[in-house]
Amino acid sequence: MSATGVNGGELVFVFIFIRPNSRMRLSRILNQCHPIPGFVYERASFVESEQAVLVRVRPRKGSAAICSGCHQPAPGYDQSPTPRRFEFIGLWGYLVFLLYCMRRVNCKQCGVVVEEVPWGMGKHSSTKVHMHFLAHWARKLSWKETAEEFRTSWDKVHDAVAYLVSWGLEHRVLGAIRAIGVDEIQCGKGHKYLTLVYQIDLDCTRLLWIGKERTVKTFKEFFAMIGPEVSAKIEFVCSDMWKPYLGVIREKCSQALNILDRFHIVAKVNKALDDVRAAEARRMKGDGYEPVLTKSRWCLLKRPENLTENQKVKLKDLVRYNLHSVRAYLLKEDFQQLWNYESTAWAAKFLEYWCRQVMRSRIEPMKKVARTLRAHRELILNYFRARKEFFQRCHRGPEQQGKSHHEKILWVPDLPRHRTGTLSFTWKASGAGAHPQIFLTNPFVLDYIHEHRTHAGGRAHSA
């Protein structure tokens, strides 16, 4: 088999010949792209019935085995006569397995235990580079598609992502955190939530932590994780109006400026407007009036610049009626002017003026929103006190950042596997975006050749 590609203006040829039940020159390729200190690649064979390549591995002469308990060299005890399979990255559509007869060591501290091999982890049947490879593709495809494309199981993809995220979290450096955002996201059916905490500094946006539920105890676990020293250096906290969050922020970050997220404030106003429209539509239908509010939901909720032509015509016809929905819509649009102010004092005056107007409107859902905004007046005005630095981040909100296109579904500890599909977890949270030097595979060989560099001698290796 052969493949060609262009890399840096040079034409690269890669030739690999596969013959059933015969030796192959794969040891040099494997040593170039995935050397294993203390071990040697031996002969490779092709099993036609399995459509798989089997590569035998043996310890290098004079190399000591490593204890899997204390991770220290230890004298050998015995060796298994049956080789154990470790799945490696596939080779152009063929499965590849490393075969190795595991040794046991007689460790002074741990006793007789199985050795630790550098390419594997515990009882996982995949090599570390294979788990890196699967997790890399799980960022671009669904877990099911990744498993089908590379002829593996969904569980192996799950375990690969779990391994990579765990490794990244262990090696993550938090550093100084100036601003954080906290929000909840629903997982599963019913009122089941996760608490998400983001770092939203101007030069760094990443997910820091995920906790089960949205309680005071849950949020306090985050501050216990980062420690009091890091907490004391936080200057800005962006949150919604959830009371448990606000209480913990006052207790753990009293020095920080608590900014109410603009997204959630606008969402409350829109929710009130939608409640008014729905109730009025039902009342008009029951009284036998013309159903003018039918199919008007998005006409009222959308910003004017986002309306389609048909929605503009519908809205123009709707505002001719003296309806509670129309009055609530006008109040909602008037509220948008708040975000145009730069002065905190003038923003405070407009907010109070708008709340007075709403309280006189006799529209109960809107009045409820006005009372809520008055109760959180200072936290809303903190948005203007910090808008020069956090305008772009505060108006999106942590939840919207959690759904950004650059993030992908990942595994979270202590949650059932069937729940993982509802979670959003950024790769930047773990710092696990890079994978080690590996020999890439399958139908993507041309991409591999294009993305990799060549030595002066013309040997391909991973960048």
Side-chain angles (χ1 to χ4, degrees), residues 16 18 26 29 85 101 149 182 184 189 215 218 278 330 348 368 377 419 439 450 462:
I16 293 184
I18 300 179
L26 288 180
I29 297 174
R85 283 192 176 194
C101 296
E149 185 65 36
V182 57
E184 76 278 352
K189 297 181 180 179
T215 61
T218 299
L330 296 176
K368 183 179 179 180
R377 178 178 179 274
R419 296 290 186 196
F439 186 63
H450 177 72
S462 179

Side-chain angles (χ1 to χ4, degrees), residues 4 24 55 95 102 112 139 163 179-180 183 208 213 242 252 259 397 406 443 462:
T4 60
M24 297 181 295
V55 182
L95 298 178
M102 300 292 291
V112 178
R139 298 178 63 186
Y163 159 74
I180 63 172
D183 199 4
L208 294 174
E213 305 301 335
W242 186 241
K252 299 294 184 178
I259 306 167
H406 65 274
S462 179

Side-chain angles (χ1 to χ4, degrees), residues 329-364:
Y329 168 77
L330 296 176
L331 288 171
K332 186 264 291 187
E333 287 300 313
D334 193 29
F335 182 76
Q336 296 296 334
Q337 298 181 49
L338 175 66
W339 313 117
N340 297 329
Y341 286 93
E342 295 189 7
S343 167
T344 304
W346 283 106
K349 291 180 180 179
F350 176 84
L351 181 61
E352 182 58 31
Y353 165 78
W354 185 85
C355 289
R356 285 200 307 268
Q357 292 293 108
V358 172
M359 297 304 291
R360 294 172 182 170
S361 67
R362 295 182 293 181
I363 304 175
E364 191 54 40

